[in-house]
Amino acid sequence: MLTGVVAGPVFTSPAVGSILAAIRAVRQAGAVGTLLIVKNYTGDRLNFGLALEQARAEGAAVEMVIIGDDAAFTTEMKAGRRGLCGTVLIHKVAGALAEEGAGLNEIVRKVAAVAGAMRTLGVSLSPCSVPGSRPTFQLAEDELELGLGIHGEAGVRRMKITTADKIVKIMLDHMTNPSNASHLLLRPGASVVLVVNNLGGLSYLELSVVAGSAVACLERRGIHIARALVGSFMTALEMAGVSLTILLVDDELLNLLDSDTTAIAWSQPAKVPVSGQRRERVAPKECPEEEERFPAGDQAFPKMKLVLGTVCNTLLSLQDKLNALDRAAGDGDCGSTHARAARAIQEWLDARPLPSDPSRLLSALAKLLLDKMGGSSGALYGLFLTAAAKPLKIDNDLAAWSIAMDAGIEAMMRYGGAAPGDRTMLDSLCAAAEELRALKNPRANLLHVLDKAVQRAEAAAESTKDMKAAAGRASYISSARLVEPDPGAVAAAAILRAVLEGLKAKPV
Ligand SMILES: *[C@@H]1O[C@H](CO)[C@@H](O)[C@H](O)[C@H]1NC(C)=O
Ligand SMILES: CC(=O)N[C@H]1CO[C@H](CO)[C@@H](O)[C@@H]1O
């Protein structure tokens, strides 16, 4: 791709002497001509221009192209159109042309045309800092900046953070809006190469999300994405941002971009299949027998829907609190996991009548949570409900519910490896289970017993504060840092309270 590269200090143009040394080295190695590919910054233009003049004076055949693929500017300004990630495509095209044996002037002509058919726009969630210095600019937590340069220079617009789809749409609109001075004219039916470039601080996951949005957005406009490149091609140190480059292509240009190179930083562009050829993802059909096996039971089981609805609302309202507790002890997703379960149950409640008997209800809930909840909580609740469903198959009086609770806990302990006192949801559940054994007394009052069980569970959840973690999320953490109750225990106690409230509430 390139024969030589001249690096200056971080974010600074190299000196004339360095550039001249590079030209001489290339020439001594046998090059008949040298093309300088320079990004459009004042310092670079000056230093490379001076080096070019000196090299020519020495008899070297040297040409220069200046790349300004920046699409940020709405009006032509004195310092405009910087060279950005599109320059990498120019390196590739010029290198391939030279490899094919094209002469220096032909390469200059073709490369200049390619440079005119391409635009780049960046967006960033954070500034970058030159090693040893402060950040190049300030950006609030919930802000992003559009149209910045690769040296942390300011962009054209700040906006509030929003989804990748929306950001990508704003970027592409800006790049192609004919009222903007530096736009690229992009008509439906055009073929393009898309480059999704990491500005330094994004993960591949984030980069791929942006790439997916960009492909979808361009295809919606009738643009054919002939090739897509996703990776770190031109970064701005650790800046958490991404740039999009769009280059209009024809077959000849594609051949040049596809030609082999040994440059390790060049990743072979992906050929994006036309959307029609991509197989649409088919949502799996819900299993129909399942529903038929469970006859409608809202009548037989009037309170259950209300109870489950209350549990879901409770878990959704606790999402942030549980996540915060979990951040201190685990990976910060306890609230999200429980909220995911709550939404799955809500959907399920809306979609079909409840199974008619408690055993089937718990089995169905177990299956739902195993399918949808995820995390170790999903597996543990699934185990709990599966085991609890069994005793209820035989009987469903109040005593059977106490036996079910014990069976569920026993299964959780067997597979989960935790015991009461280990700072997990078992602490709440076991405390409640002890109270619920009173249900075995034929004269027991359900609400009265449950009320006591809930209070015990809440006290147990609170007391996990002072426990050393021996299992579960927090056991990887030094106990000195654990000063809050365990989120799993808090969630379990909250579920029990919601059950109580649901049972007390009048059906509407
Ligand atoms: C380079 O930037 C200058 C302004 O600094 C602008 O006048 C010129 O058109 C730009 N060149 C290219 C090739 O974009
Ligand atoms: C000066 C000007 O016309 N700016 C336009 C550039 O494109 C954006 C769309 O992203 C418009 O909102 C601006 O008005």
Side-chain angles (χ1 to χ4, degrees):
M1 265 173 83
L2 286 171
T3 315
V5 65
V6 198
V10 174
F11 289 174
T12 308
S13 164
V16 177
S18 308
I19 303 167
L20 197 56
I23 298 172
R24 286 180 185 143
V26 167
R27 200 172 163 217
Q28 273 159 22
V32 291
T34 305
L35 175 65
L36 304 177
I37 301 171
V38 177
K39 292 184 277 304
N40 199 13
Y41 293 92
T42 312
D44 292 294
R45 277 202 318 266
L46 286 171
N47 285 294
F48 278 86
L50 285 166
L52 173 139
E53 296 300 337
Q54 291 192 23
R56 278 187 183 161
E58 293 174 7
V62 188
E63 293 293 338
M64 174 157 93
V65 288
I66 294 174
I67 310 302
D69 52 324
D70 190 359
F73 295 96
T74 49
T75 48
E76 219 47 92
M77 288 199 281
K78 195 120 188 108
R81 295 279 291 277
R82 299 157 295 194
L84 300 172
C85 179
T87 312
V88 176
L89 296 176
I90 298 298
H91 295 160
K92 183 69 178 69
V93 170
L97 281 168
E99 207 57 40
E100 282 183 358
L104 187 53
N105 290 330
E106 186 190 349
I107 297 177
V108 171
R109 201 167 31 80
K110 287 196 166 158
V111 154
V114 175
M118 125 188 129
R119 288 294 182 276
T120 297
L121 189 68
V123 71
S124 186
L125 304 161
S126 82
C128 59
S129 30
V130 176
S133 324
R134 310 191 136 266
T136 46
F137 58 91
Q138 298 295 328
L139 204 51
E141 283 253 303
D142 61 344
E143 273 184 333
L144 44 84
E145 179 142 345
L146 193 70
L148 16 68
I150 48 171
H151 311 116
E153 311 96 305
V156 286
R157 194 169 135 196
R158 282 198 178 179
M159 46 190 203
K160 290 284 174 208
I161 276 183
T162 172
T163 62
D165 280 340
K166 286 191 183 140
I167 295 169
V168 163
K169 182 172 182 312
I170 291 170
M171 291 172 82
L172 292 173
D173 282 348
H174 189 98
M175 292 166 81
T176 57
N177 186 327
S179 70
N180 281 335
S182 55
H183 77 281
L184 179 71
L185 199 58
L186 199 58
R187 294 204 177 87
S191 272
V192 302
V193 168
L194 167 72
V195 185
V196 181
N197 171 54
N198 189 358
L199 288 173
L202 288 193
S203 66
Y204 265 99
L205 178 69
E206 293 162 307
L207 213 54
S208 305
V209 167
V210 175
S213 299
V215 167
C217 190
L218 286 168
E219 283 185 343
R220 266 199 305 278
R221 297 175 175 207
I223 308 300
H224 171 230
I225 300 156
R227 301 286 184 275
L229 292 104
V230 182
S232 304
F233 299 99
M234 191 174 286
T235 58
L237 299 174
E238 85 285 23
M239 185 183 283
V242 63
S243 70
L244 299 178
T245 300
I246 294 175
L247 166 64
L248 294 169
V249 287
D250 55 17
D251 287 345
E252 188 193 339
L253 190 48
L254 273 183
N255 278 336
L256 295 170
L257 288 165
D258 283 344
S259 68
D260 285 340
T261 171
T262 52
I264 45 165
W266 177 260
S267 61
Q268 203 55 43
K271 296 180 180 155
V272 183
V274 188
S275 57
Q277 292 166 2
R278 272 206 298 275
R279 221 180 307 152
E280 293 297 320
R281 250 194 89 221
V282 190
K285 283 236 166 66
E286 295 284 344
C287 180
E289 314 103 74
E290 202 78 8
E291 258 167 86
E292 283 152 22
R293 278 199 287 128
F294 296 141
D298 287 13
Q299 249 71 35
F301 221 22
K303 283 272 166 96
M304 214 25 113
K305 201 158 185 168
L306 200 59
V307 166
L308 286 173
T310 314
V311 169
C312 293
N313 291 340
T314 301
L315 290 178
L316 289 172
S317 71
L318 283 176
Q319 177 167 359
D320 291 342
K321 179 185 165 187
L322 294 175
N323 277 341
L325 288 176
D326 197 21
R327 271 196 295 277
D331 48 9
D333 66 353
C334 180
S336 309
T337 306
H338 282 81
R340 192 158 54 239
R343 282 190 294 269
I345 295 173
Q346 282 179 334
E347 261 178 41
W348 182 73
L349 289 175
D350 289 344
R352 73 206 70 203
L354 286 181
S356 59
D357 70 85
S359 172
R360 283 178 172 174
L361 175 74
L362 296 197
S363 298
L365 278 174
K367 183 173 176 301
L368 184 71
L369 294 186
L370 289 172
D371 277 355
K372 303 277 172 75
M373 186 173 180
S376 38
S377 322
L380 288 168
Y381 277 114
L383 279 167
F384 176 91
L385 291 167
T386 307
K390 277 192 200 135
L392 291 170
K393 218 183 250 173
I394 305 159
D395 250 327
N396 70 14
D397 56 8
L398 290 181
W401 281 93
S402 166
I403 296 167
M405 181 82 170
D406 288 335
I409 289 174
E410 199 269 330
M412 255 188 187
M413 290 188 356
R414 184 150 28 100
Y415 291 104
D422 284 347
R423 200 189 151 92
T424 69
M425 62 174 137
L426 273 175
D427 292 309
S428 307
L429 293 175
C430 289
E434 275 176 31
E435 291 298 327
L436 289 179
R437 288 192 195 120
L439 293 175
K440 290 178 182 162
N441 180 337
R443 274 193 301 249
N445 173 308
L446 172 62
L447 291 183
H448 181 71
V449 172
L450 190 55
D451 190 47
K452 280 172 90 178
V454 168
Q455 288 180 32
R456 279 282 307 279
E458 285 172 345
E462 189 60 22
S463 72
T464 57
K465 244 187 194 163
D466 308 315
M467 287 177 192
K468 200 170 144 333
R473 57 173 60 76
S475 53
Y476 309 104
I477 292 187
S478 121
S479 50
R481 279 174 48 207
L482 296 172
V483 290
E484 299 280 3
D486 177 68
V490 172
I495 291 172
L496 291 169
R497 166 141 324 263
V499 170
L500 174 66
E501 278 166 11
L503 285 173
K504 278 198 207 155
K506 295 218 162 50
V508 278

